[in-house]
Amino acid sequence: MNFLGINAIFHDPAAALVVDGEVVAAAEEERFSRRKHGKRPVPFSAWELPEQAMRWCLDEAGLTPADLDAVGYSFDPSIAAEIPDDPYDPVRVDYARRAPGFLAEALPGLDRGKVRFVEHHVAHAASAGLAAPSRTSSVLVVDGRGEAHSHLAGRYRDGQLEVLHRQALPESLGLLYESLTDHLGFLRSSDEFKVMALASYGEPRFLPELRELVRATGDGGFRAQAPDWTRFAPRRVDDGTWGGDHADLAASVQAVVEEVLVDLATWLHGRTGDRVLTMAGGTALNCVANSRIWRETPFEEVWVQPASGDSGTALGAALHLAQEAGELGAPQPTAALGRSWSGDELARWLTTAQVPFTTPEDLAGEVADVLADNGVVAWFDGRSEFGPGPWAAGP
């Protein structure tokens, strides 16, 4: 059976294909459009589908839209909560409701009745728990938001998800971090990695006050709503400089988020006693926090979905449908799930672009000589990676 997964609702649109239980292709739309993150992370961009990524996944497997048994869309508008402080959110939800029709238009031959909505955090969870090498694991999902929640804690056993806790909106560690990203002059839902980097330049001197606002509640949940950041530092203009109060604020928020995540993972282990923790959701891209979870919680192994952000929900939606159909196969084999080019194809493109090139007889030797001379080498080989960071199997 053939299952296509789609992420389009918030940001980082992507597509993934699972055939007979095996992950055969997955790619973000940005790899084709060259538009960073695929689209702007705003409600009125929810209609934009990963059209090129979808078509490539099908072409890679030699399939047509009519060959698909089901398409998983990683958001369920029927359970979406109303977000009072976002007047455009109803637009996003309305686009999601219309997604079956949009997909049928984008993929001629697709029966719109085959499109199924998969809860956002269930798709995140599946991208971790169903893709990891271990078939039994605790799963922790933390991000900005799904339909009505910002967090899911649970356990996978033999492909079945048991949900142990959900955190209702508006409490959200991801939205807290996004809000700080915006206050520090960066693009929210896109540049949070810059805040994590900025934190390394500061001292967490605001941590005691932030602990009163952002904390675990001891029952698997937490309290986390963005405060008035000007209490700590004025709004920053991204002028290429950093440091001072802004770096200290970044360090303080990073520290308090790490503490809450460690508490959430520790609580989850207390409920499951599992050896392995799997993680997904945009917050799981915070590698500094992941390292603390690995060091400070009772879990022996931590496996993080390489495409932990929303792009990974495309893979999770497809895996979830495959599992429901009784077709869950081998774990995700690699992060290299995107398109590739042969040497001849690369040569044709370089020739067309009139870029001079050579093909050394001893490539490894020539690269070694450049490195030995303190040179820089960019090496392209194999398939494109799915996700923004390196293949992650724990710190």
Side-chain angles (χ1 to χ4, degrees):
M1 300 181 73
N2 307 313
F3 300 101
L4 183 68
I6 302 297
N7 171 60
I9 189 68
F10 293 114
H11 49 81
D12 294 289
L17 184 66
V18 174
V19 177
D20 296 332
E22 306 293 330
V23 181
V24 298
E28 292 96 337
E29 185 71 4
E30 70 171 15
R31 299 293 201 274
F32 302 87
S33 68
R34 304 303 179 98
R35 184 182 180 191
K36 191 172 183 180
H37 295 291
K39 63 180 180 180
R40 294 285 291 184
V42 291
F44 37 86
S45 72
W47 65 270
E48 297 186 47
L49 296 170
E51 295 188 31
Q52 296 181 78
M54 293 188 303
R55 293 180 187 131
W56 173 79
C57 284
L58 293 175
D59 289 344
E60 179 71 7
L63 300 175
T64 70
D67 295 323
L68 293 171
D69 292 282
V71 176
Y73 184 89
S74 61
F75 186 86
D76 186 349
S78 70
I79 59 173
E82 184 175 337
I83 308 298
D85 60 348
D86 187 348
Y88 296 108
D89 195 60
V91 175
R92 174 188 285 123
V93 176
D94 185 54
Y95 282 147
R97 292 193 186 100
R98 299 172 185 269
F102 292 161
L103 286 163
E105 290 286 339
L107 295 174
L110 174 67
D111 178 359
R112 61 183 296 169
K114 292 182 178 180
V115 178
R116 295 175 54 188
F117 295 116
V118 178
E119 185 182 343
H120 189 71
H121 286 138
V122 169
H124 267 310
S127 79
L130 297 183
S134 176
R135 283 303 183 213
T136 295
S137 69
S138 298
V139 60
L140 185 66
V141 173
V142 184
D143 66 358
R145 58 162 293 196
E147 295 85 355
H149 300 88
S150 67
H151 157 252
L152 179 152
R155 185 188 199 200
Y156 271 104
R157 176 179 289 178
D158 297 327
Q160 298 295 323
L161 174 64
E162 177 188 5
V163 177
L164 299 174
H165 197 279
R166 300 177 192 266
Q167 178 60 59
L169 294 167
E171 313 295 338
S172 171
L173 290 171
L175 293 182
L176 174 85
Y177 216 91
E178 285 185 21
S179 174
L180 175 66
T181 299
D182 176 72
H183 184 73
L184 293 177
F186 304 121
L187 179 62
R188 66 188 305 155
S189 293
S190 298
D191 289 344
E192 283 69 26
F193 69 98
K194 296 180 181 179
V195 177
M196 186 171 64
L198 181 60
S200 66
Y201 289 89
E203 297 294 330
R205 59 188 178 90
F206 303 119
L207 183 56
E209 187 172 353
L210 283 169
R211 282 173 173 154
E212 298 178 5
L213 304 171
V214 182
R215 65 189 188 280
T217 52
D219 59 355
F222 53 84
R223 294 289 175 264
Q225 295 190 44
D228 178 2
W229 296 117
T230 59
R231 293 167 48 184
F232 307 99
R235 184 176 180 85
R236 175 180 173 272
V237 176
D238 190 8
D239 57 3
T241 63
W242 57 85
D245 288 348
H246 295 119
D248 289 347
L249 179 55
S252 301
V253 173
Q254 172 68 26
V256 77
V257 168
E258 290 173 15
E259 290 180 351
V260 174
L261 289 171
V262 168
D263 283 345
L264 295 178
T266 301
W267 177 89
L268 180 56
H269 185 273
R271 292 292 303 273
T272 68
D274 288 329
R275 188 179 63 84
V276 178
L277 173 67
T278 57
M279 297 176 61
T283 306
L285 293 172
N286 193 311
C287 55
V288 179
N290 295 347
S291 297
R292 284 196 61 180
I293 291 171
W294 180 65
R295 291 194 307 268
E296 299 177 26
T297 72
F299 289 105
E300 297 177 33
E301 294 184 19
V302 176
W303 190 92
V304 182
Q305 166 56 240
S308 293
D310 276 6
S311 62
T313 64
L315 176 61
L319 288 172
H320 178 75
L321 295 182
Q323 188 279 327
E324 284 192 330
E327 288 215 341
L328 187 61
Q332 180 179 342
T334 175
L337 296 167
R339 60 179 173 172
S340 64
W341 292 265
S342 69
D344 289 342
E345 288 173 322
L346 289 173
R348 285 197 297 272
W349 279 109
L350 291 170
T351 300
T352 300
Q354 298 184 344
V355 175
F357 67 93
T358 60
T359 305
E361 291 185 7
D362 182 12
L363 178 60
E366 185 159 326
V367 168
D369 289 341
V370 173
L371 294 175
D373 197 32
N374 293 321
V376 176
V377 173
W379 190 297
F380 176 92
D381 186 35
R383 296 178 70 172
S384 176
E385 185 179 79
F386 184 50
W391 177 241

